[in-house]
Amino acid sequence: MTKILVIDDEPSIINLVTAYLKPEGYEVYTATDGNAGLKSARAFKPDLSILDLMLPGMDGIELLSILRRESDVYVIMLTARTDETDKIVGLSVGADDYV
């Protein structure tokens, strides 16, 4: 089964993404801050991480840079920020896509 880790500090976003993924047969793990996201990524070894940029504790960019040093997990940045600079930074640090 494909494992997906959703890291976002908004419960409504986590609930929405989980509601779409679980019925499709994905095993979904969640975390609500950067530190918990890193711990979950290390523990569950997901096939895909959906990562918010604005997280408490450790932000998404810092978390992504650590993930890139430790694994080749596919990462999709999911954020409400629409600034082009945020997208460029996320992709340059190693995000595979940006939504």
Side-chain angles (χ1 to χ4, degrees):
M1 183 178 292
T2 302
K3 295 182 282 187
I4 300 176
L5 173 60
V6 181
I7 308 168
D8 199 300
D9 61 332
E10 291 290 329
S12 61
I13 299 293
I14 287 176
N15 292 337
L16 179 66
V17 173
T18 300
Y20 277 104
L21 295 174
K22 278 192 173 184
E24 296 299 322
Y26 296 105
E27 190 174 338
V28 180
Y29 300 93
T30 63
T32 56
D33 64 59
N35 294 319
L38 180 58
K39 184 177 178 179
S40 295
R42 288 173 172 162
F44 302 119
K45 308 257 188 268
D47 301 294
L48 166 67
S49 289
I50 299 174
L51 177 61
D52 185 19
L53 278 179
M54 299 177 290
L55 294 169
M58 179 188 320
D59 71 18
I61 295 297
E62 184 179 355
L63 176 53
L64 176 58
S65 65
I66 293 169
L67 288 175
R68 280 293 160 250
R69 289 193 301 265
E70 297 181 2
S71 77
D72 60 354
V73 63
Y74 195 86
V75 177
I76 297 175
M77 301 298 293
L78 176 65
T79 184
R81 295 175 74 169
T82 58
D83 186 39
E84 193 69 22
T85 304
D86 293 324
K87 182 176 182 178
I88 292 168
V89 169
L91 293 172
S92 68
V93 172
D96 295 292
D97 208 343
Y98 190 98
V99 178

